[in-house]
Amino acid sequence: MVIADPPLMDSSAPELAGTPPPPAPAERSVVAQIEHLDFFYGTTQALKDVTLDLESRKVTAFIGPSGCGKSTLLRCLNRMNDLIEGARVAGGTVRIHGTNIYDRTVDVIEVRKRVGMVFQKSNPFPKSIYENITYGLRLHGRRDKSRLDAIVEQALRGAALWDEVKDRLHQSGLGLSGGQQQRLCIARAIAVEPEIILMDEPCSALDPVATAKIEELIQELRARFTIVIVTHNMQQAARVSDRTAFFYLGSLVEYADTRDIFTNPAKPQTEAYVSGRFG
Amino acid sequence: MIPPTVAAPPRFTVSRRRLRLLGLTADDGIRWFFGGNALIAVIVLTLITLFLFREGAGFFGQNRSNLEIYRRAGLEYVDFIRAQTDDHTALTRYLSDLRVRWMTWLLEQERHSLEEANARLEDFDRFADRFAGAVDPLRELMSGLADHASGIKAKYQLTQDRRVEQAQLAAAGRTAEAAGIEISAIDFERELEPLRESLPTYRQLSRDLAGELTALLAEAPAPPTPALRQRMDRFAELTREYVAGFPAVEHRLETWDSAQPVPAHRAFTSFLFGRQWLTASSWQDWYGIVPLFVGSLLVAALALLLAVPLGVGAAIYVSQLASSREQRLIKPCIEFISAIPSVVLGFFGIVILGETLRQLSQVSWLSWLPGFPYSERLNILTAGSLLALVAVPTIFTLAEDALNNVPRGFKEASLALGASQLQTVLKIIVPASLSGIVSAVLLGFGRVIGETMIVLLCAGNRIEIPDFTRGVAVVTEPVHTMTGIIAQEMGEVVRDSIHYRALFMVGLVLFLLALVINYAAQKIMRRYRLSTG
């Protein structure tokens, strides 16, 4: 297993969440560290000894054939797997800014506030566009109307949706097209200002034009957020990501700069997959 | 791999003869079988509707002639006077209530002995006796007239019976016997003469009564406390209002015309808005659905009040918060409630729940609750609590379905935004399934309004509009219900009699109510499907 980036985490990982990220070489600051993670659905092992770092303000793509555990790993990052009965972390840690989010003392709600998520199928609430975006903020006690208005505009602009919906903020979010709905979901996620945004195949249900818009958006968002994207589409991974991790049967096979994965993979399995010979 | 010889492409011809029976293939037969089953459901529903309407429709004609004879035989006339004496009785009751309060005050506040207290109330008792006795002459007149009117009605019914007998004989071909039956037409005008002639007497008596009551009020004893005085003042006021109403009664009697036909809509309104359901009476039968309707509604409303929080709450818990082991335990338990025969529940209600609730109501530290303590074991409260049990499984099952139908994505999205489980349920899942829950509640309502056995056994079966002036305490009163009355009286009515048809009309009202409820529930459900698409 090749880890392109030699570990630099243990030396400086802070113990408390919220403390500033460790001082690291300028362009390689680590937000999250996954170490020796073993994950089970009942008796089936879905992840085997996965170790991987997520870098701040970079787009990391998880690729691999179906059932390789890439979505599972993504959902480990905000503990969405807690919802599945029988799912459990059997070993290893997931640290975000040094805090193991599977620690007993960690509040799962706090984790999810700081790690947002966009799903495969767009899922705006059956409420107005405005309410969709303010939902997360209201949960966390924001009530100030003018402040909320400002955040809604900011989030919609951030998701490149403002111009399309500014005149119908109070109409149902379900009345938007598929691509718009997905961007609304992104706007909803960024409105609560998370540090990491997880995207679980965000374009798999969209047409090419809508896909292109989302990809463009991801490029803009990387300046402000750390993004992890799971995708089946290798061209997409090549287009949008800085780093790519290739999984196979629950194991991390290779993790390197995207350019290297696609042009000069270290493992034959990776090469076989990215060149389309299997998977 | 290429086959060595190229076979001719198969042709699309019927190569095999199908077995036909009466010109139908097996496929057609199966099709007709399923189609037929579906058709039977439609036919049965249509037949039930037609039957209900056919049996019920005759009611209005019969009710109209019922009202007609009520007028022509002078019963209506007598009832004008009766209403006057009844109002007087209500005033007397007010007085005796006042006496009880006065007595209580004397015994508890003043610590008088019983003899002393009675002595202190001597003045009051004399006053009350004179007040009560004042109406006696009028009442005597009334009862004499009532006997006379009843006589006219009986005579009329006798001739009606003879007519029927004659028609039957004629139909059977026994013309000679038919002709032998003597039928004397009743001259209502002549028969009613004594009633009319009594008018001057009535006038005199009524004026005497007015004078006497007014005179009595002037010498009414003054109670010792402000609260009692206030009641006495109120009594005087009521009495004055009562006396002021006399000329109106007199006017009604003067202008009363027995020959005036009863308007057709009265047959309808006296059923829909009639406040009395009185059958097999020696005086006059009334078929007013209001007491039954109100009874059904009150019982059902109380049942829903208890069942909605229980059913919806349990549904939310099971579908959203429970572990799968809890689900496996709770769901069958709740659904099993609906398997209990309602007669068993009713029996339980009489023997255990009714008795327990009554005893609970007599616990002294619970007496602050409205209506407590009460003595009627069977009442709205008992029936409603048990009916809630019937509604819970319906509401639970349908509400749980509605909650489970909320797309998983909503829940995930909410949780991923940092909402707690409870916030997700209350802010996303319940609103998204609200229309489903509302229709579940509506169907639960339909279920309880149609329930018969429990209300028949536990509601107390008193045919009267409960006293709403008691506020919430109204739930401790016994009522009768639409379903209960049908079950109770259908067995003993004469076929095709007005009573029989009146029961069918009640059934029709129930049927229409159920139809409306189900329709509304389906409408709401359909809107819900669209909204979450």
Side-chain angles (χ1 to χ4, degrees):
Chain A
M1 186 180 302
V2 170
I3 295 173
D5 198 22
L8 48 73
M9 53 269 191
D10 284 336
S11 54
S12 55
E15 279 312 304
L16 288 168
T19 48
E27 73 259 47
R28 291 267 152 125
S29 77
V30 173
V31 174
Q33 303 148 329
I34 300 161
E35 288 167 349
H36 306 294
L37 189 68
D38 287 315
F39 190 89
F40 286 84
Y41 291 116
T43 54
T44 319
Q45 187 162 13
L47 291 174
K48 295 171 192 158
D49 192 31
V50 172
T51 300
L52 160 154
D53 290 348
L54 293 178
E55 286 170 34
S56 179
R57 311 217 164 151
K58 289 273 161 68
V59 179
T60 306
F62 291 174
I63 60 169
S66 295
C68 69
K70 55 191 191 302
S71 281
T72 303
L73 181 63
L74 192 78
R75 285 164 169 263
C76 279
L77 286 166
N78 68 344
R79 291 186 52 178
M80 282 306 272
N81 285 327
D82 291 9
L83 303 180
I84 299 162
E85 217 160 311
R88 67 194 153 84
V89 171
T93 55
V94 177
R95 290 175 190 280
I96 294 176
H97 291 314
T99 306
N100 180 12
I101 60 168
Y102 281 92
D103 198 272
R104 245 169 229 287
T105 58
V106 166
D107 182 8
V108 62
I109 287 168
E110 199 59 36
V111 172
R112 291 186 187 142
K113 254 197 258 182
R114 290 170 55 175
V115 185
M117 189 162 188
V118 176
F119 296 84
Q120 179 172 6
K121 190 173 175 297
S122 60
N123 52 1
F125 300 127
K127 296 171 184 280
S128 73
I129 294 171
Y130 184 89
E131 284 170 322
N132 260 286
I133 299 199
T134 53
Y135 178 74
L137 298 162
R138 284 177 197 273
L139 287 179
H140 308 137
R142 298 271 192 86
R143 289 280 182 279
D144 178 15
K145 177 88 171 70
S146 58
R147 182 90 190 92
L148 285 179
D149 288 350
I151 293 175
V152 167
E153 179 172 351
Q154 212 181 327
L156 284 171
R157 282 191 193 283
L161 194 60
W162 175 252
D163 292 330
E164 292 161 60
V165 301
K166 64 183 173 197
D167 299 325
R168 45 171 171 157
L169 288 179
H170 295 282
Q171 290 174 21
S172 172
L174 293 169
L176 299 174
S177 74
Q180 287 173 325
Q181 285 192 11
Q182 194 61 298
R183 276 181 283 149
L184 177 60
C185 292
I186 293 174
R188 183 174 65 187
I190 63 180
V192 292
E193 293 285 332
E195 289 157 53
I196 306 174
I197 298 177
L198 310 174
M199 296 188 174
D200 191 358
E201 300 183 42
C203 305
S204 66
L206 301 181
D207 64 70
V209 177
T211 302
K213 278 194 177 165
I214 302 267
E215 287 180 9
E216 211 173 293
L217 181 58
I218 292 172
Q219 291 306 321
E220 284 165 27
L221 292 175
R222 67 196 288 195
R224 292 164 56 205
F225 305 100
T226 303
I227 294 172
V228 186
I229 179 169
V230 164
T231 178
H232 269 124
N233 180 336
M234 267 168 301
Q235 284 80 19
Q236 185 172 59
R239 281 194 299 265
V240 302
S241 69
D242 304 301
R243 307 268 294 161
T244 298
F246 171 59
F247 293 86
Y248 185 60
L249 296 178
S251 300
L252 177 64
V253 177
E254 189 169 351
Y255 181 39
D257 281 349
T258 301
R259 205 178 332 116
D260 294 338
I261 290 272
F262 283 95
T263 56
N264 186 22
K267 297 273 173 130
Q269 274 167 311
T270 314
E271 205 213 332
Y273 184 71
V274 298
S275 61
R277 263 186 277 138
F278 92 103
Chain B
M1 272 196 261
I2 300 158
T5 53
V6 179
R11 293 193 313 191
F12 295 99
T13 51
V14 178
S15 55
R16 137 179 97 90
R17 273 187 68 84
R18 299 194 179 189
L19 183 68
R20 281 174 185 270
L21 202 65
L22 301 171
L24 293 173
T25 63
D27 285 357
D28 287 341
I30 291 167
R31 203 181 119 87
W32 277 98
F33 174 72
F34 288 126
N37 286 340
L39 192 66
I40 284 173
V42 176
I43 291 175
V44 166
L45 182 68
T46 319
L47 281 180
I48 289 176
T49 318
L50 284 178
F51 178 70
L52 273 176
F53 271 100
R54 198 186 62 118
E55 293 294 317
F59 170 76
F60 294 111
Q62 285 183 345
N63 196 27
R64 193 172 170 201
S65 52
N66 179 35
L67 294 171
E68 194 94 24
I69 185 65
Y70 174 68
R71 174 167 291 174
R72 301 201 68 183
L75 274 67
E76 190 178 36
Y77 184 89
V78 180
D79 271 346
F80 289 151
I81 308 177
R82 193 194 298 274
Q84 194 180 2
T85 61
D86 283 352
D87 286 349
H88 182 272
T89 313
L91 286 171
T92 316
R93 223 176 289 136
Y94 193 97
L95 265 190
S96 51
D97 177 63
L98 183 63
R99 187 185 195 276
V100 170
R101 284 164 195 274
W102 197 333
M103 190 68 159
T104 315
W105 178 80
L106 285 172
L107 293 178
E108 287 176 6
Q109 303 291 320
E110 302 285 290
R111 304 253 163 237
H112 284 298
S113 72
L114 194 61
E115 288 78 25
E116 273 175 340
N118 274 327
R120 290 278 300 271
L121 282 171
E122 230 167 55
D123 267 358
F124 179 84
D125 286 346
R126 211 172 304 121
F127 167 74
D129 281 350
R130 282 179 63 200
F131 189 91
V135 81
D136 284 348
L138 191 62
R139 189 172 283 148
E140 223 164 89
L141 171 77
M142 190 268 295
S143 79
L145 295 179
D147 287 347
H148 186 76
S150 291
I152 304 177
K153 190 179 172 187
K155 240 187 243 173
Y156 171 77
Q157 270 161 353
L158 194 67
T159 56
Q160 286 302 96
D161 289 349
R162 287 211 176 129
R163 279 218 178 85
V164 171
E165 197 185 340
Q166 190 180 38
Q168 277 170 353
L169 286 175
R174 291 146 74 178
T175 33
E177 280 172 72
I181 290 178
E182 200 179 314
I183 297 172
S184 52
I186 296 178
D187 183 354
F188 282 106
E189 278 312 306
R190 206 169 51 92
E191 299 275 355
L192 282 174
E193 254 162 39
L195 259 66
R196 296 194 184 288
E197 281 162 9
S198 74
L199 193 57
T201 325
Y202 166 80
R203 254 185 218 131
Q204 190 54 47
L205 290 176
S206 174
R207 264 163 222 178
D208 288 353
L209 179 61
E212 193 170 353
L213 293 185
T214 321
L216 267 171
L217 277 186
E219 50 191 272
T225 71
L228 289 175
R229 260 199 300 281
Q230 206 184 345
R231 285 191 171 264
M232 198 53 157
D233 290 347
R234 175 83 186 124
F235 170 77
E237 192 187 325
L238 286 171
T239 308
R240 275 191 287 275
E241 273 172 27
Y242 169 62
V243 171
F246 284 9
V249 180
E250 208 177 304
H251 178 73
R252 221 176 290 156
L253 291 176
E254 280 162 5
T255 54
W256 179 74
D257 179 10
S258 73
Q260 195 181 35
V262 176
H265 67 85
R266 274 290 301 282
F268 194 67
T269 50
S270 77
F271 172 72
L272 272 190
F273 307 112
R275 301 164 64 87
Q276 261 186 310
W277 180 280
L278 200 64
T279 58
S281 151
S282 58
W283 179 250
Q284 169 72 12
D285 288 356
W286 294 106
Y287 302 97
I289 199 175
V290 172
L292 308 172
F293 193 81
V294 168
S296 277
L297 226 54
L298 273 179
V299 174
L302 180 70
L304 277 194
L305 205 67
L306 299 171
V308 167
L310 271 177
V312 175
I316 289 174
Y317 183 76
V318 166
S319 80
Q320 303 299 326
L321 306 170
S323 69
S324 65
R325 248 185 61 197
E326 285 173 308
Q327 281 182 5
R328 278 197 299 272
L329 179 75
I330 299 172
K331 264 179 83 161
C333 278
I334 293 181
E335 276 153 13
F336 187 75
I337 296 175
S338 62
I340 305 174
S342 58
V343 67
V344 176
L345 277 180
F347 181 61
F348 167 83
I350 294 178
V351 179
I352 299 173
L353 185 72
E355 193 52 42
T356 313
L357 283 175
R358 182 175 62 179
Q359 278 172 10
L360 209 62
S361 84
Q362 275 149 359
V363 176
S364 59
W365 52 267
L366 280 175
S367 61
W368 54 272
L369 282 167
F372 279 25
Y374 61 86
S375 54
E376 293 278 358
R377 180 175 58 161
L378 303 179
N379 53 30
I380 300 176
L381 186 64
T382 312
S385 317
L386 272 180
L387 270 190
L389 273 185
V390 172
V392 162
T394 310
I395 295 177
F396 169 81
T397 309
L398 293 166
E400 206 222 342
D401 278 352
L403 288 161
N404 282 336
N405 277 338
V406 175
R408 208 184 140 69
F410 291 172
K411 188 177 174 180
E412 288 192 332
S414 170
L415 290 172
L417 282 167
S420 69
Q421 192 113 23
L422 209 64
Q423 286 171 323
T424 304
V425 168
L426 294 181
K427 296 191 172 175
I428 299 296
I429 293 175
V430 171
S433 57
L434 196 62
S435 40
I437 292 174
V438 169
S439 69
V441 170
L442 270 181
L443 289 172
F445 180 68
R447 178 83 179 73
V448 293
I449 205 115
E451 169 57 47
T452 307
M453 214 45 181
I454 290 176
V455 291
L456 187 62
L457 292 174
C458 299
N461 297 356
R462 190 183 67 179
I463 310 175
E464 215 166 282
I465 300 175
D467 182 7
F468 281 100
T469 54
R470 296 180 61 201
V472 184
V474 79
V475 298
T476 60
E477 295 200 10
V479 289
H480 214 317
T481 55
M482 293 191 283
T483 49
I485 202 100
I486 297 176
Q488 190 180 17
E489 297 186 346
M490 198 43 113
E492 57 200 41
V493 295
V494 181
R495 203 186 143 89
D496 292 339
S497 67
I498 176 170
H499 188 181
Y500 168 87
R501 295 206 189 281
L503 290 177
F504 266 98
M505 281 309 298
V506 175
L508 197 63
V509 169
L510 267 173
F511 176 75
L512 292 177
L513 201 63
L515 215 63
V516 168
I517 291 170
N518 276 284
Y519 180 74
Q522 277 187 9
K523 265 269 159 181
I524 293 172
M525 196 88 100
R526 198 160 303 152
R527 229 195 56 202
Y528 148 80
R529 292 237 169 83
L530 291 177
S531 74
T532 57

